[in-house]
């Protein structure tokens, strides 16, 4: 037998090398992403801001309140940008996008939001405004090609259903005549108030959609990185909105003027509302949008109606109606499905 054949025959009896058994793939675990927590933090800030805003918004009128609210937070944000942030180079497709986002999401959205609050009160405005979760998911799907998965979409639908339950069944009894509790959460719902709140929600969702492409690292062949960090983005968006509000004040002082003189207590309440809601809350939202999908961030940041319930209980000294708690429970279930996607 030739030597080569012997070698081949002998190779047949060489034991094959055994590869060590591979460990089974790890089971899928649900992880709460950091942008989920940021969106929930934004919802908490907006719930607190809604409580702080009720009195000055009612006194000054929606347009004047939003104007002074934007003024106070713009000063704070630009001071923070000067100390801790930098502005990107001037580029139309990033600066223009961020300015447009401020005009749609803040100038239009916030003005409509507080006009609705003056008609509905903070809780019912909050639960209607939370429908921006649905708008965010739909807009992200249509324009950013975001696919969240079946569980997340089911959770978003349940969250919106909880919002609607709280609106439909959440009217509490009007306080008695000797009650010291304010009545801005017990006025009847009106078609105009509901419409304004839903349009405000659409404005918020559209503003977030417009801003997302200009957040984070955006490389331009001419200018380099032209993306905004959340702090600088907040400052530019607010400045665009407050500029439009002052132009409106100049063009139509009868409509856009304040209903009463701006006193120190009203200014203090307005500033507190703006710093909590627009400064911290919007910063957390933009940070979440930079790293996470528009749809899930919109759903989780829409949890403010749930978070405002214990605040209202503390403020008014009486529990919200059972329908409000039922809607909140449904919204929490939907939120849990989104977070555990």
């Amino acid at each position: 037998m030739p030597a080569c054949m012997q070698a081949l025959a002998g190779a047949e009896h060489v034991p094959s090398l055994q590869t060590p058994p591979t460990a089974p793939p790890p089971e899928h675990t649900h992880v709460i992403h950091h942008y989920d927590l940021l969106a929930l933090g934004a919802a908490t800030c907006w719930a607190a801001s809604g409580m702080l805003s009720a009195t000055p918004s009612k006194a000054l009128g929606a347009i004047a309140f939003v104007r002074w609210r934007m003024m106070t937070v713009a000063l704070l944000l630009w001071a923070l940008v000067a100390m801790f942030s930098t502005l990107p180079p001037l580029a139309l497709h990033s600066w223009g996008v961020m300015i447009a986002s401020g005009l749609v999401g803040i100038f239009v959205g916030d003005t409509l939001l507080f006009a609705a609050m003056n008609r509905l009160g903070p809780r019912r405005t909050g639960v209607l405004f939370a429908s921006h979760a649905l708008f965010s998911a739909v807009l992200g799907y249509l324009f950013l090609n975001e696919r969240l998965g079946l569980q997340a979409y089911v959770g978003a639908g349940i969250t919106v259903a909880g919002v609607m339950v709280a609106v439909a069944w959440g009217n509490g009894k009007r306080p008695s005549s000797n009650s010291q509790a304010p009545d801005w959460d017990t006025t009847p719902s009106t078609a105009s108030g509901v419409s304004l709140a839903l349009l405000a929600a659409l404005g918020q969702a559209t503003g977030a959609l417009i801003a997302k492409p200009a957040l984070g690292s955006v490389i331009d062949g001419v200018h380099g990185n032209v993306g905004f960090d959340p702090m600088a983005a907040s400052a530019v968006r607010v400045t665009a909105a407050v500029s439009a509000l002052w132009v409106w004040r100049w063009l139509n002082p009868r409509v856009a003027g304040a209903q009463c003189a701006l006193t120190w207590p009203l200014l203090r309440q307005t500033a507190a509302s703006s710093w909590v809601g627009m400064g911290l809350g919007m910063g957390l939202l933009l940070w979440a949008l930079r790293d996470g999908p528009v749809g899930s961030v919109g759903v989780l940041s829409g949890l403010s109606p749930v978070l405002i319930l214990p605040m209202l209980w503390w403020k008014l000294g009486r529990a919200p109606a059972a329908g409000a708690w039922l809607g909140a429970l449904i919204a929490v279930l939907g939120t849990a499905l989104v977070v555990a996607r």
Side-chain angles (χ1 to χ4, degrees):
M1 181 183 293
C4 60
M5 296 296 294
Q6 292 178 352
L8 289 173
E12 295 176 356
H13 303 287
V14 177
S16 60
L17 296 176
Q18 298 291 329
T19 58
T22 58
E27 295 182 0
H28 177 70
T29 57
H30 298 298
V31 178
I32 298 180
H33 301 283
H34 71 280
Y35 48 79
D36 293 336
L37 298 177
L38 292 170
L40 291 172
T44 305
C45 291
W46 290 341
S49 177
M51 294 293 302
L52 295 168
S53 301
T55 298
S57 176
K58 194 80 171 179
L60 295 171
I63 301 171
F65 170 73
V66 172
R67 184 172 64 248
W68 286 108
R69 189 173 186 249
M70 296 301 105
M71 281 287 293
T72 55
V73 77
L75 295 174
L76 173 66
L77 287 172
W78 282 115
L80 293 175
V81 168
M83 291 186 290
F84 304 112
S85 182
T86 56
L87 291 172
L90 285 174
L92 179 61
H93 59 276
S94 61
W95 279 79
V97 160
M98 204 56 66
I99 290 171
S101 171
L103 292 175
V104 174
I106 302 178
F107 171 58
V108 174
D110 250 38
T111 303
L112 295 178
L113 175 65
F114 288 101
M117 184 179 294
N118 290 345
R119 291 164 172 80
L120 301 177
R123 179 185 58 80
R124 278 168 290 171
T125 300
V127 292
L128 279 167
F129 184 70
S131 62
H132 75 78
L134 177 61
F135 293 134
S136 296
V138 171
L139 292 174
Y141 181 91
L142 293 176
F143 296 102
L144 298 180
N145 200 32
E146 291 181 351
R147 303 295 184 265
L148 300 180
L150 178 60
Q151 178 176 319
Y153 285 119
V154 170
I158 292 175
T159 301
V160 174
V163 166
M164 299 309 168
V165 167
V167 173
W169 298 348
N171 283 342
K173 294 181 180 179
R174 193 173 184 87
S176 59
S177 58
N178 59 356
S179 172
Q180 299 301 313
D183 63 352
W184 38 252
D185 193 51
T186 58
T187 53
S189 297
T190 63
S192 63
V194 171
S195 300
L196 289 170
L198 290 175
L199 288 173
L202 179 60
Q204 163 75 20
T206 305
L209 177 82
I210 294 171
K212 184 173 175 60
L215 290 169
S217 180
V218 181
I219 304 302
D220 179 272
V222 177
H223 303 95
N225 185 9
V226 295
F228 283 84
D229 66 48
M231 190 179 298
S234 297
V236 172
R237 293 179 81 230
V238 167
T239 302
V242 77
S243 300
L245 285 164
W246 278 109
V247 170
W248 191 4
R249 170 71 175 82
W250 177 68
L251 292 176
N252 197 340
R254 186 179 62 85
V255 173
Q259 295 177 357
C260 68
L262 181 66
T263 63
W264 171 245
L266 286 176
L267 179 60
R268 186 172 63 244
Q269 290 175 306
T270 300
S273 164
S274 68
W275 293 343
V276 172
M278 296 302 301
L280 183 57
M282 187 175 64
L284 292 175
L285 175 70
L286 291 175
W287 191 359
L289 283 172
R290 185 192 66 182
D291 300 336
V294 170
S296 65
V297 169
V299 170
L300 296 176
S301 62
L303 199 60
S304 53
V306 176
L307 301 173
I308 204 173
L309 291 176
M311 299 179 190
L312 278 170
W313 195 347
W314 170 78
K315 175 72 175 177
L316 302 178
R318 54 190 171 84
W325 290 112
L326 176 61
L329 181 62
I330 296 172
V332 167
L333 174 61
T335 300
L337 290 175
V338 175
V339 171
R341 62 192 181 276

